[in-house]
Amino acid sequence: MYSSTDYAARLEIDYPEKLDRFTTFFRLIWLVPIGIILGMVSDAGQTVTNTVVLNEAGEVIRTAQTTAGGLASGLVAATALMIVFRQRYPRWWFDFSRELTHFGARVATYMALLTDQYPSTVEEQSVHLDIDYPDVKTDLNRWLPLVKWLLAIPHYVVLAVLSVGVLLAVILAWFAILLTGEYPRTLFDFNVGVARWYLRVAAYATLMVTDRYPPFSLH
């Protein structure tokens, strides 16, 4: 029996002894610049197509807008295709996906008030994220990427519920930090646990570095 600590993706976040009340109060404002950068990186290559439908008289009767692409979704699709058809996962491709995931985790950590350190695009900071590089031919079933999204649905349902709890926990933590300068340890551990759960599901269903089904666990 494997434990959660043996999983191919692992996350630890350092607990802060003291947090700054001022930056906590204005956290959403401080988050805007780095959030824009993350959004630009994640959505790079996204295309928007506008469709206009005319009647016989040349009058516009309907317009439609479709959005396609985006780096994050493109990486998932391309990774699945490489594993299915070529049984390959280039190391540079994996490294980029891992670093993008790590960057996103740093931004999420800052947004959830778990740290005062402004998210770096390079340094690890207080967010320690490890993802194992797979040997595709021995560790991965080449056909499983076609159905992983379906198999992960139970996790997505649970995480949707837990995300509501995270939102409430962050709100409570915001008030606690303003009053005491400290993040309640119980709320901290819960939010880190949910982030850890998200990472394991991503490692299975989108990063596709493992075929082991993610455990339903915060630990």
Side-chain angles (χ1 to χ4, degrees), residues 63-96:
T63 61
Q65 186 180 81
T66 57
T67 303
L71 183 58
S73 59
L75 281 173
V76 174
T79 301
L81 290 174
M82 282 194 296
I83 294 173
V84 170
F85 292 107
R86 299 287 294 167
Q87 281 193 290
R88 290 184 178 177
Y89 202 140
R91 182 69 199 221
W92 67 268
W93 192 291
F94 166 83
D95 289 340
F96 177 79

Side-chain angles (χ1 to χ4, degrees), residues 132-162:
D132 296 337
Y133 177 65
D135 184 329
V136 177
K137 293 186 178 180
T138 60
D139 298 339
L140 303 179
N141 182 314
R142 70 186 304 172
W143 304 112
L144 204 53
L146 299 176
V147 295
K148 278 186 172 182
W149 62 272
L150 181 63
L151 298 176
I153 286 178
H155 278 283
Y156 291 134
V157 172
V158 176
L159 286 171
V161 176
L162 290 175

Side-chain angles (χ1 to χ4, degrees), residues 100-112:
L100 181 59
T101 301
H102 202 167
F103 176 45
R106 288 193 292 269
V107 174
T109 297
Y110 186 71
M111 180 174 62

Side-chain angles (χ1 to χ4, degrees), residues 15-27:
Y15 178 73
E17 295 299 329
K18 279 290 182 181
L19 292 168
D20 185 82
R21 293 178 172 87
F22 181 77
T23 59
T24 296
F25 186 83
F26 293 103
R27 184 57 49 91

Side-chain angles (χ1 to χ4, degrees), residues 6-62:
D6 297 324
Y7 203 72
R10 300 165 297 279
L11 174 68
E12 294 293 338
I13 300 175
D14 299 334
Y15 178 73
E17 295 299 329
K18 279 290 182 181
L19 292 168
D20 185 82
R21 293 178 172 87
F22 181 77
T23 59
T24 296
F25 186 83
F26 293 103
R27 184 57 49 91
L28 289 179
I29 297 176
W30 305 142
L31 187 67
V32 170
I34 200 68
I36 292 174
I37 293 173
L38 178 61
M40 292 176 66
V41 173
S42 300
D43 295 333
Q46 189 177 73
T47 59
V48 178
T49 303
N50 292 296
T51 304
V52 179
V53 180
L54 306 177
N55 61 15
E56 294 180 355
E59 299 173 329
V60 177
I61 59 174
R62 182 168 60 89

Side-chain angles (χ1 to χ4, degrees), residues 105-120:
R106 288 193 292 269
V107 174
T109 297
Y110 186 71
M111 180 174 62
L113 313 177
L114 299 170
T115 182
D116 278 340
Q117 293 179 300
Y118 201 75
S120 170

Side-chain angles (χ1 to χ4, degrees), residues 13-19 21 24 112-115 165-166 168-193:
I13 300 175
D14 299 334
Y15 178 73
E17 295 299 329
K18 279 290 182 181
L19 292 168
R21 293 178 172 87
T24 296
L113 313 177
L114 299 170
T115 182
V166 168
L168 294 176
V170 170
I171 293 173
L172 292 174
W174 185 79
F175 285 105
I177 295 168
L178 294 182
L179 294 173
T180 68
E182 297 180 358
Y183 204 118
R185 188 62 193 242
T186 302
L187 298 180
F188 181 90
D189 290 341
F190 172 75
N191 287 342
V192 173

